[in-house]
């Protein structure tokens, strides 16, 4: 038998503990991703059901405090009132029609509440904003307010540069109060008029990579188990020589 030194019992214990901990962590992460995948699939199904359901009345002020993205986003709603066209805010947008702006127009209900309506896409600042007021019966998808701008750019109300649809900030810039914490993406008009905002461009998409992540974590756990088995087998062979 060779005189090669072997690891001490304490070292072998630490090695086994480290391997076991790593495997447990990777297996736990894989299982967590499977739970996340189940949650995401339920969310997608729920959102699709909401978006394609018959429209219901938009939430009233008594409902506003309880609204969240989970229980309200993409709900198909309708609201009637008066569009305050001259108080519209243009928010930079990137759409299937190209770069341009969302036309965010406050709508005042009969009760005096304000709901911002994303009337749709325009290619430049001079198109489709309008002046004065207009009676409207809007149907569309409820979206929660998008605060603070985008990842790299912050909204600049003073400079009229908007990168996200932050309804509270837009309301403050326009001198409006009693504003809903959501806005409505208007449906496409059945007979769109030239020069008017193009509605119905809401993109409903969710990243769903959880299965890939789960398989990756499980694969890492199996790699550790396999490599440990190889090392253990080789060590036993060396000891037997």
């Amino acid at each position: 038998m060779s005189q090669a030194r072997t690891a001490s019992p304490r070292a072998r214990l630490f090695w086994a503990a480290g391997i076991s901990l790593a495997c447990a962590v990777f297996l736990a992460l894989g299982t967590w991703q499977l739970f996340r995948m189940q949650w995401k699939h339920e969310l997608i199904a729920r959102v699709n059901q909401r978006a394609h359901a018959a429209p219901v009345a938009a939430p009233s002020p008594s409902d506003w405090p309880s609204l969240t993205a989970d229980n309200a986003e993409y709900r198909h709603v309708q609201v009637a009132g008066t569009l305050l066209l001259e108080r519209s805010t243009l928010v930079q947008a990137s759409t299937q029609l190209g770069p341009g702006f969302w036309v965010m127009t406050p709508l005042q209900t009969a009760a005096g509440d304000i709901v911002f309506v994303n009337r749709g896409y325009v290619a430049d600042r001079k198109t489709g904003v309008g002046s004065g007021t207009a009676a409207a019966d809007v149907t569309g998808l409820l979206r929660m307010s998008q605060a603070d701008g985008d990842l790299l750019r912050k909204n600049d109300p003073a400079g009229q540069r908007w990168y996200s649809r932050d309804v509270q900030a837009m309301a403050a810039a326009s001198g409006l109060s009693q504003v809903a914490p959501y806005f409505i993406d208007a449906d496409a008009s059945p007979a769109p008029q030239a020069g008017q905002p193009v509605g119905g461009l809401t993109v409903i998409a969710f990243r769903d990579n959880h299965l890939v992540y789960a398989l990756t974590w499980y694969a890492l756990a199996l790699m550790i188990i396999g490599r440990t088995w190889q090392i253990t087998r080789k060590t036993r062979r060396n000891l037997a020589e």
Side-chain angles (χ1 to χ4, degrees):
M1 181 178 294
S2 68
Q3 300 298 316
R5 291 185 299 173
T6 61
S8 68
R10 178 173 295 180
R12 289 198 298 270
L13 180 61
F14 282 134
W15 169 260
I19 292 298
S20 299
L21 178 60
C23 287
V25 169
F26 290 151
L27 291 172
L29 288 171
T31 302
W32 176 71
Q33 286 294 339
L34 291 180
F35 281 114
R36 289 282 296 173
M37 180 180 68
Q38 181 181 4
W39 168 83
K40 182 64 68 64
H41 289 176
E42 291 173 354
L43 172 64
I44 292 171
R46 187 164 61 249
V47 165
N48 284 330
Q49 183 180 24
R50 290 176 188 167
H52 296 97
V56 298
S60 63
S62 62
D63 300 317
W64 293 354
S66 63
L67 296 179
T68 66
D70 283 343
N71 66 27
E73 190 103 58
Y74 299 108
R75 189 184 299 175
H76 201 194
V77 299
Q78 61 184 8
V79 64
T82 302
L83 291 170
L84 309 180
L85 300 174
E86 293 181 343
R87 299 196 185 189
S88 296
T89 301
L90 296 179
V91 180
Q92 288 197 12
S94 179
T95 75
Q96 63 196 61
L97 300 179
F101 301 90
W102 298 123
V103 181
M104 303 294 297
T105 302
L107 178 145
Q108 188 170 40
T109 69
D113 309 317
I114 298 293
V115 177
F116 269 90
V117 175
N118 176 13
R119 293 163 56 213
Y121 162 87
V122 294
D124 58 70
R125 290 183 176 275
K126 297 179 181 180
T127 305
V129 175
S131 59
T133 61
D137 191 344
V138 176
T139 301
L141 300 181
L142 184 151
R143 306 291 307 280
M144 299 304 292
S145 180
Q146 303 166 348
D148 299 332
D150 64 17
L151 182 63
L152 300 177
R153 300 169 298 183
K154 298 297 183 182
N155 291 327
D156 178 14
Q160 295 186 358
R161 288 185 289 271
W162 297 88
Y163 306 103
S164 72
R165 292 166 287 187
D166 185 337
V167 296
Q168 297 300 329
M170 291 187 295
S174 299
L176 299 169
S177 59
Q178 192 64 12
V179 178
Y182 60 86
F183 60 92
I184 298 174
D185 274 347
D187 289 341
S189 172
Q193 298 179 2
Q196 291 298 307
V198 179
L201 298 180
T202 306
V203 175
I204 303 177
F206 298 92
R207 294 181 62 184
D208 186 13
N209 299 321
H210 299 294
L211 181 58
V212 173
Y213 296 152
L215 293 176
T216 299
W217 289 121
Y218 286 145
L220 289 172
L222 289 175
M223 288 171 61
I224 290 178
I225 293 172
R227 183 57 178 163
T228 302
W229 178 79
Q230 289 179 339
I231 293 173
T232 302
R233 184 181 180 188
K234 182 177 180 180
T235 301
R236 288 177 177 175
R237 186 185 302 121
N238 291 338
L239 291 174
E241 292 177 355

